[in-house]
Amino acid sequence: MTDKNLAPVYNPVEVEDRLYQHWLEHNYFRAPGDPEKETFTIVIPPPNVTGSLHMGHALDNTIQDILIRRKRMQGFDTLWLPGTDHAGIATQIKVEEHLADEGLTRYDLGREKFVERVWAWKDEYHDRILGQLYKLGVSCDWSRERFTMDEGSSRAVRQEFVSLYKKGLIYRGHYIINWCPRCHTALSDIEVEHEDTEGSLTYIRYPLAEGDGQVVVATTRPETMLGDTAVAVHPQDSRYQHLVGKHLLLPLMKRKIPIIADDYVDPEFGSGAVKITPAHDPNDFAMAGRHQLPSIVVIADDGTMTTEAGTYAGLDRYVAREQVVADLEKAGVLLQVEDHTHAVGHCQRCHTVIEPLLSKQWFVSMKPLAVPAIAAVKNGDIHFVPERFTKVYLSWVENIRDWCISRQIWWGHRIPAWYCECGETIVALEDPQSCPHCGEETLTQDEDVLDTWFSSALWPFSTLGWPDQTADLAHYYPTDVLVTGYDIIYFWVARMILMGLEFKQEIPFHTVYIHGLVRDAQGRKMSKSLGNGIDPLEIIEHYGADTLRFTLITGQGPGNDQRFRQESVENSRNFANKIWNASRFVLMNLEDFTAADVDLSQLTDADRWILHRYNEAVREVNRLMEAYELGEAARTLYEFLWSDFCDWYIELAKIPLFAAESEEEKKTVRSVLTYVLDRTLRLLHPFMPFITEEIWQKLPHTGETIVLASYPEYDVTLECSEAHARMNTVMDVTRTIRFLRSEIQLPPGRKAQAIFNVGSEQSATALFEGTAILQRLAGLEKVDIVSQLLDQPKQALTAVVGDIEVYLPLAGLVDLEQEIKRLEKEAKKLESELARSSGKLKNQGFLAKAPENVIAEERAKAEDYQARLDKVRARISSLR
């Protein structure tokens, strides 16, 4: 082989697309379904078909690809199942925004035509997302790709709904739900984000309907008072016990409402009396049920006031709020309005303030489903990485509330419930042709669709064919690892565990790997509003996918957020170039060498040292990957390749390659170079798949592709601690001499003499065996190794390495007088800097006014100047 096999400069643009197509054409990622092999399965967290992938997706998929590529190379029957999510509300909002640009609404198109438009959107963005995943290099089995609204998923969702309904775990009823006036749909509790908001607390006098007196209530939402049907007090509150059972006159509405007693009321909060608005507050709704109070809806689905709100009908809820407060003041019943900060719920999708509304919706009864899901985590069947997220999961599941699953939108799985005029509700797997109760053939299907997460909860097994008992389901379920961010533990992870145990009586995965967010260099969350988002495709275009992947994985630790910095990208790019250039050197020196020529029988200490270091790296990388410390595993590989292999062994290899007396010596070093580079590329392949494949194909090797090459395992026969110790001694001495040379600014080409006074036979052997290395890498012409130095050399630089005294005689190397003058000049400069800095630190004005960090920096400078000055003075003394 010649250097023509690798281009002088690595160009990822030329390499990556070509290699990915090659992998696809040869089906290297396709799961074989081999019953004789142990399986390893990951289902991709399906990205939403709402737009482009962001940096969080890039991290998430890089982690999965690293795990799956390694297991594939270890001989597992690996399946990484890809797919996309229909993302009901999010996708519908996007399409409606595009319709608005055309001056249209979904109602202008009608349900059927609107859904057709959404399918067209889905097709466009699905293709875009797949293209981005290809660019990242993910090794999914694309032959098994799924979509949460494909035919198989639709059957699974209907099976899920019907089964839960028949068990009494799905029900329909009037309850307070979270309503988004912008999205015009109900939301589950975890789709509501609560934010501390500056608002007002309005105190209102409610006069007694009979006789004199009043009760003061306080509210953050005065417009809802129009729907009050009671005022509640605590039964043990002596201030109000005499009023329980009496009535108040609701201000502005002139409606009589009772005073009731309920243990829910906190007598210490506010006045101890609370207004009860059953149709617009979940706690009030529960209280109304206990006291048989009516519910009056005064806020409509669109956020305007209803006819029940009287003269305020038709007003926006916030306009009505201002008007109600003004009218209360006119009526003389407004006591006061004070500033008040409180948590306000917002729609997770569009950020509109949600409205608690009384509405008829479909719900899943969650507590029965939660029992086995709690046990599965507590008994260790499922574990979270890192462990601290176990508490997060259990905290939610142990306090789980019923799940509102109906959504008032058109894009999604339509609820499989039909209504007959006789009052019958039919829930069925197949569309019913008539009412089983009365025989009526005209039935009306429920208009609502199911929450997106209702279908996503089935993802680990619906994608494998459930409810059918397919070969894939039997072979690949349960899956192994779920990789996801901590922000959807409630939305998705918990619900998959619940549904997996309910429908498969098995856990859906044994490990949940939680990663953090990718933030900008300042630690801020990437967002459109801040304009700080970074498109992963732009990084890939400029630096290559391997650089992006390595940057992301080395920057993260399980569960922790990371900052995405440009300098980190450039470091990863430099690492790729380092590997490329080192590989070019190896290939240029292999000539006609083949994989069959590799012979590790005649090794030097340098050869044994690199094999030992490689073997240690193998053991450490595998240990870290099994512990899901992928970032640390990548950093271990970085250190080995950059320092041990490139900076040291390649330089060591040049000695026999360029000056060996026999072909056997050259063959040995070529064998070691080939062996270590081949296997290190395999170690690195899951992290940087493209550059490793490109280089590996040029190296002597067996097999079609590095994708299917065996992953290295620790090999006890490569251990050689004695050679490793000897080489470490030689390397430490080499570094020391290089440092001493730099102290006197000795040019690299100027050869020197070194005297080593050794304190042990081991050190003597190490230096004797490493003489050629010291001569080449430390720039030495003559090496003297002695065990008892009678007279220390005069005018020599000295250092100590372990039990070795190192002397570098200066006679003939430098003009001693000139060197002393140079050092004296440097000392004067340092004395001046030290005096300036010390004077500054003695200045009380500076100490009083300067920030702490500035003072700390100045102190650090002074300490540095002093240390350098001491060093220069010591060098002058030794030269004299």
Side-chain angles (χ1 to χ4, degrees), residues 75-94:
F76 285 75
D77 181 351
T78 55
L79 170 60
W80 185 11
L81 197 150
T84 48
D85 196 305
H86 68 281
I89 296 175
T91 305
Q92 177 154 323
I93 288 173
K94 289 284 188 183

Side-chain angles (χ1 to χ4, degrees), residues 206 221-229 250-253 255 275 277 280 296-298 305-306 308-313 320-321 324:
Y206 282 33
R221 304 167 65 217
E223 72 279 8
T224 63
M225 66 160 291
L226 305 173
D228 284 1
T229 57
L250 182 62
L252 305 183
M253 301 302 284
R255 183 169 67 240
K275 57 187 286 299
T277 318
H280 299 284
I296 301 173
V297 177
V298 294
M305 308 306 289
T306 69
E308 293 285 1
T311 58
Y312 304 95
R321 178 177 297 179
V324 164

